[in-house]
Amino acid sequence: MRDTLITIFGGGGFLGRHITQQLTAAGARVRIAQRNIRIAQDVKPLGNLGQTQLVAADITKPESVARAVHGADAVINLVGILKGDFDAIHHVGAANVAQAAAAAGCAAMVHVSAIGADASSKSAYGRSKADGEAAVRAAFPTATILRPSIVFGREDQFVNRFAGLIAALPVVPVIGGKAKFQPVYVDDVAQAVAMSLADPARFGGKLFELGGPEAVSMAELNARIAKEIGVDASFIAMPDGISSLMAGLTGWLPGAPITRDQWAMLQTDNVVADGAEGFAAFGIAPTPMAAVIGDYLVRFRKHGRFGARTKTRTD
């Protein structure tokens, strides 16, 4: 991929920064396309001089997408939201990117979707992800579609969020405690993206579901985080009826912890489907959470990195 130009829509985010590091290390030039360009400023130093560039682009506006793709050899779409106009971003926006990539004659495209993409999903999020995949496939048939489970890593907004709540609250409510996830390490996903672009003949036109080496429930995940940060937490499993009511209040009750659509998503496990192709196709052994999260959750321990030290004997 040396000297190829790759446009990454949403490249200023958590996953985008790690993908940029993978690509620049391989010698590629990277163009970060971001609606709010200030979000992407810290991506600039990840490559050598002139190796990374920033461009303002809104995937809901085809003309700005076309400008961002102009001259690129390959395109990656990472843009996604957890609340808001799902169809505009996940479906129409994804279609705009794929159509622009095809019109520009790009050799490869990677579209990052999500496990749970399903036209019959109970959640608008899941349905919009499925519609986006279909639109990408129609416009750019050789695109590689990746569906990761929950992505974790040092700057994630998932494990860190729960660690902050557990460290701050005397009693922690757990919504959707039985829902299972297959947390996947950000660098593993980034590697799969880079490999997909490097070998479109092998990975193009295919769909892969990316999950970590184990499935854990929401309740188990909270317990693991509490243990990792040294907190003897008290958890309360919220009954579905109450959590559903709380979700229904979102929109007019400030600070509601979950939206109705997010609650619907928790009614289905977020794990790799039986028979789906995954990391094995890339020759990647997925990284377990236990090997990583201790390094970045240390800040939530009562005494920081010294919080795990054994007590000094006084006898």
Side-chain angles (χ1 to χ4, degrees), residues 78-286:
L78 304 176
V79 182
I81 56 175
L82 290 176
K83 59 181 179 180
D85 191 343
F86 295 124
D87 190 70
I89 302 300
H90 297 159
H91 177 200
V92 177
N96 289 338
V97 172
Q99 290 164 8
C106 292
M109 176 180 177
V110 173
H111 175 67
V112 177
S113 182
I115 288 179
D118 185 346
S120 60
S121 173
K122 295 178 181 178
S123 75
Y125 174 92
R127 295 192 299 274
S128 68
K129 283 290 189 179
D131 290 341
E133 291 180 1
V136 167
R137 188 66 76 217
F140 203 110
T142 58
T144 302
I145 296 176
L146 303 179
R147 292 179 177 175
S149 184
I150 298 297
V151 181
F152 70 90
R154 183 172 295 275
E155 319 95 66
D156 71 50
Q157 295 298 312
F158 187 73
V159 174
N160 279 295
R161 179 187 179 191
F162 286 114
L165 290 172
I166 293 168
L169 300 177
V171 178
V172 182
V174 178
I175 297 174
K178 295 180 181 179
K180 288 189 175 182
F181 303 89
Q182 209 165 334
V184 58
Y185 186 41
V186 63
D187 282 344
D188 294 338
V189 178
Q191 185 179 352
V193 171
M195 291 179 67
S196 297
L197 291 182
D199 195 351
R202 180 181 176 188
F203 299 109
K206 297 181 179 180
L207 184 150
F208 302 91
E209 296 202 347
L210 307 180
E214 61 178 334
V216 296
S217 70
M218 180 69 82
E220 291 170 338
L221 180 62
N222 276 269
R224 288 191 187 191
I225 293 171
K227 182 178 180 180
E228 193 64 52
I229 65 176
V231 173
D232 186 14
S234 295
F235 296 105
I236 295 181
M238 302 297 292
D240 283 346
I242 294 177
S243 59
S244 174
L245 178 61
M246 294 168 65
L249 295 174
T250 301
W252 63 271
L253 180 64
I258 189 171
T259 67
R260 167 64 72 176
D261 201 70
Q262 289 167 351
W263 183 84
M265 289 164 59
L266 289 173
Q267 305 312 299
T268 304
D269 291 339
N270 193 269
V271 298
V272 173
D274 291 340
E277 285 196 274
F279 278 125
F282 297 91
I284 297 172

